[in-house]
Amino acid sequence: MRFVLLLSATAVAQKIGTLVNEQHPTIDFYECTEQACTSSPKPITLDANWRWYHDGTGSSNCFNDHFECGTPAECTRDCELEGISLSEYESTYGITAAGSELSLKFVTDHQYGTNVGSRTYLMNDDNSYYMFKLKNAEFTFDVDVSTLQCGMNGALYFVEMPEDGGLGAFPSNTAGANLGTGYCDAQCPHDIKYIHGETNSEGWTSGESGGRYGACCVEMDIWEANSFATAYTPHSCDTTKPDTDRYYRCDGEVDCGDGENRYNGVCDKNGCDFQPYRHGNTSFYGPGSSFRVDTTKKMTVVTQFITDDGTDDGTLSEIRRFYVQDGVVVQNPTVTKVGSPHDSITEGFCDAAAEWAADGTNFLEKGGMESMDIAHETGMVLVMSLWDDETVNMKWLDSDFGDPPSNLRGPCPGDETSTPEYVRENYPNSFVKFSNISAAATSSAGPGAQQTTATLT
Ligand SMILES: *[C@@H]1O[C@H](CO)[C@@H](O)[C@H](O)[C@H]1NC(C)=O
Ligand SMILES: *[C@@H]1O[C@H](CO)[C@@H](O)[C@H](O)[C@H]1NC(C)=O
């Protein structure tokens, strides 16, 4: 009887494998109030998509280049998502944590094959993500991008994922945040293996890179960069759509904004990017001392979420950026768009930038700053990843992409030397290191604020 009950209890579950016990690496994370900063170790987990998905005994895979386990119901019934041990985080996935630093290696050869890149999340405890609410606050981290070549992206950003990875909303998901479920972003990606507690296997046939559904949510890209180009970019989503919750499963080309429907989907895919090179300052960021921010050396990146009345309850009105390198504060450059100067992201900047680019960018139409405001009221999850780009070789970040006048985004050739095949072969040992991550009240003495004060006074 007990056996039967157990079976029925797990019959429709996105189950946790029993072969390897999940062990999260931890990094020291700083939280600062107006009085002081405290640091505490916080777990890191790897996204479910990177994990071994098998039949429960480990003798056959449920996913190779597509699902090989039948219908979504059958896959969810028969397959298990496996844990990762601390040593495998490093040996299989190239992920290492020490002190406040997280290092993600680009290519890692291991006993079963080769791993490329990773996507990790900061957790509050082993079963829930850390939820960031940064209105009227400052977010700071140090980053080393020195080995990131054209075609790569070492990214640190926020997305409006559910705190428990979807465990509560979808009972068939028993893995949850522990095993990195629940990812979504403003591209409404189709390559997410589990959405809404079931496999995204419908339409995901061999040769396809995703299934029928996409996972959409508001995204704040704090940092998308390699050593040649960088951007910080809010992406809004139209969450007033009927039946839409903050984490939205889109269905079909129009809803998901695929291909020609790019501007018809639920989210703003272009985003309101502040990209120094694209907006006209080609000497601000790059490798060597001739650049204002020299990417051969570590730097501190500070982002402030400013409200209209300077309180936590105000309306998010501006997203400011500055850098600290070698103890010197470097202000974000001032760029001129349709006649007006801007050095931060505001709706005024987004409006002017969209008018200048004339490329259909619809950040304001899909919700604009209000979208980001609500996301920070609800809480956003911190993502740290390293990836290459199968679709357009990261040209949207570092090369010539789109139409004039906004097409020049970086100095990279964007040719075959930016393809995944080339960069994996030639620069497998590239890495990104994020450290000293902190969240602070804007008026507090956080690491970034301390450095600002030290240098400005
Ligand atoms: C780029 O930005 C830096 C820092 O703000 C500034 O000193 C420099 O003059 C700018 N260059 C151009 C071409 O605007
Ligand atoms: C953290 O910040 C401190 C103070 O700026 C700096 O001395 C240290 O090198 C940083 N550590 C890492 C791992 O980046």
Side-chain angles (χ1 to χ4, degrees):
M1 190 59 195
R2 185 155 181 265
F3 186 55
V4 174
L5 272 178
L6 263 179
L7 267 183
S8 64
T10 57
V12 292
Q14 179 184 309
K15 293 174 291 186
I16 300 185
T18 52
L19 304 179
V20 183
N21 192 26
E22 175 72 12
Q23 293 175 308
H24 297 131
T26 61
I27 55 168
D28 292 329
F29 167 67
Y30 296 85
E31 289 164 288
C32 308
T33 65
E34 306 203 353
Q35 282 73 43
C37 290
T38 53
S39 110
S40 54
K42 295 289 183 195
I44 297 286
T45 192
L46 179 65
D47 182 273
N49 259 26
W50 269 255
R51 293 169 182 271
W52 187 23
Y53 191 51
H54 61 82
D55 65 355
T57 66
S59 63
S60 79
N61 289 341
C62 288
F63 184 93
N64 286 306
D65 71 334
H66 65 292
F67 290 89
E68 297 180 0
C69 42
T71 63
E74 286 164 346
C75 291
T76 357
R77 182 192 65 205
D78 299 336
C79 299
E80 296 183 354
L81 195 58
E82 201 51 73
I84 303 169
S85 71
L86 217 44
S87 65
E88 286 172 337
Y89 262 93
E90 177 165 7
S91 61
T92 305
Y93 297 103
I95 298 168
T96 48
S100 77
E101 186 171 275
L102 181 71
S103 175
L104 308 178
K105 186 169 175 276
F106 186 44
V107 178
T108 306
D109 288 318
H110 55 83
Q111 70 181 120
Y112 306 106
T114 300
N115 177 73
V116 179
S118 54
R119 185 164 68 220
T120 64
Y121 309 117
L122 185 73
M123 313 186 82
N124 192 42
D125 57 47
D126 284 327
N127 292 304
S128 48
Y129 298 127
Y130 186 93
M131 301 308 278
F132 284 85
K133 299 181 176 179
L134 293 172
K135 280 172 63 176
N136 194 35
E138 179 174 281
F139 179 83
T140 304
F141 63 98
D142 292 346
V143 63
D144 178 349
V145 296
S146 59
T147 63
L148 298 181
Q149 308 297 325
C150 292
M152 298 179 188
N153 186 346
L156 183 151
Y157 58 107
F158 294 107
V159 289
E160 210 177 343
M161 288 164 71
E163 183 171 15
D164 63 0
L167 195 106
F170 307 105
S172 57
N173 178 351
T174 61
N178 183 27
L179 299 194
T181 66
Y183 184 74
C184 52
D185 67 36
Q187 302 305 316
C188 299
H190 286 273
D191 69 346
I192 307 300
K193 293 178 190 164
Y194 318 92
I195 305 181
H196 277 202
E198 63 178 28
T199 55
N200 190 16
S201 41
E202 218 179 297
W204 195 327
T205 51
S206 186
E208 290 296 320
S209 55
R212 167 177 166 182
Y213 300 110
C216 313
C217 64
V218 174
E219 172 177 351
M220 173 69 224
D221 297 321
I222 297 284
W223 186 250
E224 293 196 280
N226 52 40
S227 57
F228 297 96
T230 189
Y232 78 104
T233 312
H235 293 266
S236 58
C237 295
D238 177 8
T239 50
T240 61
K241 223 182 132 178
D243 304 325
T244 301
D245 53 21
R246 302 291 299 175
Y247 164 82
Y248 180 64
R249 179 169 79 165
C250 65
D251 182 4
E253 295 192 359
V254 177
D255 204 25
C256 299
D258 300 336
E260 290 177 356
N261 285 297
R262 184 173 181 83
Y263 303 104
N264 301 325
V266 72
C267 294
D268 139 50
K269 294 197 171 184
N270 289 15
C272 173
D273 59 306
F274 201 112
Q275 218 274 34
Y277 193 107
R278 182 177 185 230
H279 289 117
N281 193 322
T282 57
S283 61
F284 184 73
Y285 178 93
S289 56
S290 64
F291 292 93
R292 198 68 193 77
V293 173
D294 177 359
T295 58
T296 65
K297 298 188 282 191
K298 194 152 88 173
M299 67 194 78
T300 301
V301 180
V302 184
T303 310
Q304 297 173 324
F305 293 86
I306 295 168
T307 59
D308 59 350
D309 65 358
T311 73
D312 295 3
D313 301 325
T315 300
L316 182 66
S317 57
E318 182 176 7
I319 306 169
R320 291 199 71 81
R321 159 64 48 85
F322 64 88
Y323 301 84
V324 185
Q325 193 170 46
D326 296 332
V328 176
V329 175
V330 180
Q331 300 298 339
N332 204 41
T334 298
V335 299
T336 300
K337 295 288 95 161
V338 290
S340 57
H342 297 274
D343 64 355
S344 70
I345 295 176
T346 58
E347 290 212 333
F349 166 73
C350 298
D351 195 27
E355 184 183 337
W356 164 73
D359 58 356
T361 296
N362 54 0
F363 171 73
L364 295 174
E365 288 80 355
K366 294 291 172 187
M369 280 296 201
E370 189 186 6
S371 203
M372 208 58 50
D373 182 296
I374 298 170
H376 276 290
E377 297 266 350
T378 316
M380 298 190 90
V381 176
L382 177 66
V383 185
M384 289 174 277
S385 71
L386 177 56
W387 57 291
D388 55 20
D389 182 355
E390 299 272 5
T391 317
V392 291
N393 305 337
M394 222 66 82
K395 288 197 288 187
W396 57 271
L397 174 68
D398 62 22
S399 185
D400 183 344
F401 186 70
D403 297 319
S406 64
N407 55 313
L408 300 176
R409 297 141 190 269
C412 293
D415 57 9
E416 70 281 355
T417 61
S418 287
T419 58
E421 192 181 23
Y422 186 90
V423 294
R424 291 173 192 186
E425 175 73 22
N426 289 279
Y427 311 111
N429 295 324
S430 290
F431 60 84
V432 63
K433 285 181 178 172
F434 297 111
S435 54
N436 279 335
I437 302 170
S438 80
T442 305
S443 52
S444 77
Q450 264 167 4
Q451 292 180 40
T452 319
T453 321
T455 320
L456 291 180
T457 53

PDB file of all heavy atoms in Angstrom, residues 30 98 100-101 142 298 300 435-436 447 451, ligand 2:
ATOM      1  N   TYR A  30      27.290  40.576   0.044  1.00  0.00           N
ATOM      2  CA  TYR A  30      27.218  41.709   0.980  1.00  0.00           C
ATOM      3  C   TYR A  30      25.867  42.410   0.915  1.00  0.00           C
ATOM      4  O   TYR A  30      25.388  42.724  -0.171  1.00  0.00           O
ATOM      5  CB  TYR A  30      28.306  42.737   0.661  1.00  0.00           C
ATOM      6  CG  TYR A  30      29.699  42.204   0.843  1.00  0.00           C
ATOM      7  CD1 TYR A  30      30.329  41.488  -0.186  1.00  0.00           C
ATOM      8  CD2 TYR A  30      30.387  42.387   2.025  1.00  0.00           C
ATOM      9  CE1 TYR A  30      31.603  40.975  -0.021  1.00  0.00           C
ATOM     10  CE2 TYR A  30      31.668  41.886   2.206  1.00  0.00           C
ATOM     11  CZ  TYR A  30      32.267  41.179   1.175  1.00  0.00           C
ATOM     12  OH  TYR A  30      33.530  40.677   1.345  1.00  0.00           O
ATOM     13  N   ALA A  98      34.916  30.841  -4.464  1.00  0.00           N
ATOM     14  CA  ALA A  98      35.849  30.983  -3.343  1.00  0.00           C
ATOM     15  C   ALA A  98      35.719  32.385  -2.791  1.00  0.00           C
ATOM     16  O   ALA A  98      35.782  33.358  -3.548  1.00  0.00           O
ATOM     17  CB  ALA A  98      37.286  30.734  -3.801  1.00  0.00           C
ATOM     18  N   SER A 100      34.311  35.685  -2.042  1.00  0.00           N
ATOM     19  CA  SER A 100      33.177  36.385  -2.662  1.00  0.00           C
ATOM     20  C   SER A 100      33.138  36.157  -4.169  1.00  0.00           C
ATOM     21  O   SER A 100      32.311  36.734  -4.861  1.00  0.00           O
ATOM     22  CB  SER A 100      33.272  37.888  -2.383  1.00  0.00           C
ATOM     23  OG  SER A 100      34.248  38.480  -3.225  1.00  0.00           O
ATOM     24  N   GLU A 101      34.043  35.320  -4.685  1.00  0.00           N
ATOM     25  CA  GLU A 101      34.207  35.234  -6.137  1.00  0.00           C
ATOM     26  C   GLU A 101      33.603  33.973  -6.761  1.00  0.00           C
ATOM     27  O   GLU A 101      33.811  32.863  -6.298  1.00  0.00           O
ATOM     28  CB  GLU A 101      35.710  35.267  -6.445  1.00  0.00           C
ATOM     29  CG  GLU A 101      36.024  35.319  -7.923  1.00  0.00           C
ATOM     30  CD  GLU A 101      37.501  35.574  -8.156  1.00  0.00           C
ATOM     31  OE1 GLU A 101      37.902  36.760  -8.149  1.00  0.00           O
ATOM     32  OE2 GLU A 101      38.261  34.599  -8.291  1.00  0.00           O
ATOM     33  N   ASP A 142      32.395  43.409  -8.700  1.00  0.00           N
ATOM     34  CA  ASP A 142      33.662  43.497  -9.429  1.00  0.00           C
ATOM     35  C   ASP A 142      33.620  42.449 -10.525  1.00  0.00           C
ATOM     36  O   ASP A 142      33.038  41.370 -10.352  1.00  0.00           O
ATOM     37  CB  ASP A 142      34.844  43.199  -8.499  1.00  0.00           C
ATOM     38  CG  ASP A 142      35.042  44.294  -7.452  1.00  0.00           C
ATOM     39  OD1 ASP A 142      34.452  45.379  -7.601  1.00  0.00           O
ATOM     40  OD2 ASP A 142      35.792  44.043  -6.482  1.00  0.00           O
ATOM     41  N   LYS A 298      40.653  44.261 -13.717  1.00  0.00           N
ATOM     42  CA  LYS A 298      39.395  44.148 -12.979  1.00  0.00           C
ATOM     43  C   LYS A 298      38.769  45.528 -12.783  1.00  0.00           C
ATOM     44  O   LYS A 298      39.474  46.526 -12.691  1.00  0.00           O
ATOM     45  CB  LYS A 298      39.683  43.503 -11.621  1.00  0.00           C
ATOM     46  CG  LYS A 298      38.440  43.031 -10.913  1.00  0.00           C
ATOM     47  CD  LYS A 298      38.730  41.864 -10.004  1.00  0.00           C
ATOM     48  CE  LYS A 298      39.157  42.301  -8.612  1.00  0.00           C
ATOM     49  NZ  LYS A 298      39.271  41.155  -7.694  1.00  0.00           N
ATOM     50  N   THR A 300      35.134  47.698 -10.955  1.00  0.00           N
ATOM     51  CA  THR A 300      33.927  47.670 -10.134  1.00  0.00           C
ATOM     52  C   THR A 300      32.809  48.334 -10.933  1.00  0.00           C
ATOM     53  O   THR A 300      33.031  49.384 -11.538  1.00  0.00           O
ATOM     54  CB  THR A 300      34.157  48.448  -8.818  1.00  0.00           C
ATOM     55  OG1 THR A 300      35.255  47.848  -8.129  1.00  0.00           O
ATOM     56  CG2 THR A 300      32.919  48.425  -7.935  1.00  0.00           C
ATOM     57  N   SER A 435      32.796  39.114  -8.455  1.00  0.00           N
ATOM     58  CA  SER A 435      33.120  39.079  -7.024  1.00  0.00           C
ATOM     59  C   SER A 435      32.576  40.307  -6.318  1.00  0.00           C
ATOM     60  O   SER A 435      32.101  41.254  -6.964  1.00  0.00           O
ATOM     61  CB  SER A 435      34.641  38.987  -6.833  1.00  0.00           C
ATOM     62  OG  SER A 435      35.294  40.035  -7.530  1.00  0.00           O
ATOM     63  N   ASN A 436      32.687  40.290  -4.971  1.00  0.00           N
ATOM     64  CA  ASN A 436      32.261  41.437  -4.143  1.00  0.00           C
ATOM     65  C   ASN A 436      30.854  41.918  -4.507  1.00  0.00           C
ATOM     66  O   ASN A 436      30.614  43.126  -4.611  1.00  0.00           O
ATOM     67  CB  ASN A 436      33.241  42.606  -4.309  1.00  0.00           C
ATOM     68  CG  ASN A 436      34.480  42.445  -3.448  1.00  0.00           C
ATOM     69  OD1 ASN A 436      34.465  41.766  -2.429  1.00  0.00           O
ATOM     70  ND2 ASN A 436      35.557  43.082  -3.861  1.00  0.00           N
ATOM     71  N   PRO A 447      30.225  49.031  -0.592  1.00  0.00           N
ATOM     72  CA  PRO A 447      31.570  49.066  -1.166  1.00  0.00           C
ATOM     73  C   PRO A 447      31.686  50.102  -2.285  1.00  0.00           C
ATOM     74  O   PRO A 447      32.624  50.878  -2.328  1.00  0.00           O
ATOM     75  CB  PRO A 447      31.766  47.656  -1.704  1.00  0.00           C
ATOM     76  CG  PRO A 447      30.823  46.813  -0.920  1.00  0.00           C
ATOM     77  CD  PRO A 447      29.661  47.691  -0.561  1.00  0.00           C
ATOM     78  N   GLN A 451      33.845  53.653  -2.111  1.00  0.00           N
ATOM     79  CA  GLN A 451      34.891  54.008  -3.060  1.00  0.00           C
ATOM     80  C   GLN A 451      34.584  55.353  -3.698  1.00  0.00           C
ATOM     81  O   GLN A 451      35.469  56.154  -3.941  1.00  0.00           O
ATOM     82  CB  GLN A 451      35.017  52.923  -4.124  1.00  0.00           C
ATOM     83  CG  GLN A 451      35.554  51.642  -3.511  1.00  0.00           C
ATOM     84  CD  GLN A 451      35.703  50.545  -4.538  1.00  0.00           C
ATOM     85  OE1 GLN A 451      36.126  50.798  -5.647  1.00  0.00           O
ATOM     86  NE2 GLN A 451      35.348  49.344  -4.170  1.00  0.00           N
TER      87      GLN A 451
HETATM   88  C1  LIG B   2      36.782  42.998  -3.101  1.00  0.00           C
HETATM   89  O1  LIG B   2      36.858  44.405  -2.859  1.00  0.00           O
HETATM   90  C2  LIG B   2      38.022  44.806  -2.150  1.00  0.00           C
HETATM   91  C3  LIG B   2      37.862  46.306  -1.861  1.00  0.00           C
HETATM   92  O2  LIG B   2      37.707  47.012  -3.045  1.00  0.00           O
HETATM   93  C4  LIG B   2      39.244  44.474  -2.976  1.00  0.00           C
HETATM   94  O3  LIG B   2      40.424  44.841  -2.283  1.00  0.00           O
HETATM   95  C5  LIG B   2      39.270  42.976  -3.276  1.00  0.00           C
HETATM   96  O4  LIG B   2      40.336  42.685  -4.147  1.00  0.00           O
HETATM   97  C6  LIG B   2      37.971  42.530  -3.932  1.00  0.00           C
HETATM   98  N1  LIG B   2      37.980  41.082  -4.004  1.00  0.00           N
HETATM   99  C7  LIG B   2      37.702  40.429  -5.124  1.00  0.00           C
HETATM  100  C8  LIG B   2      37.801  38.962  -5.050  1.00  0.00           C
HETATM  101  O5  LIG B   2      37.381  41.010  -6.144  1.00  0.00           O
END
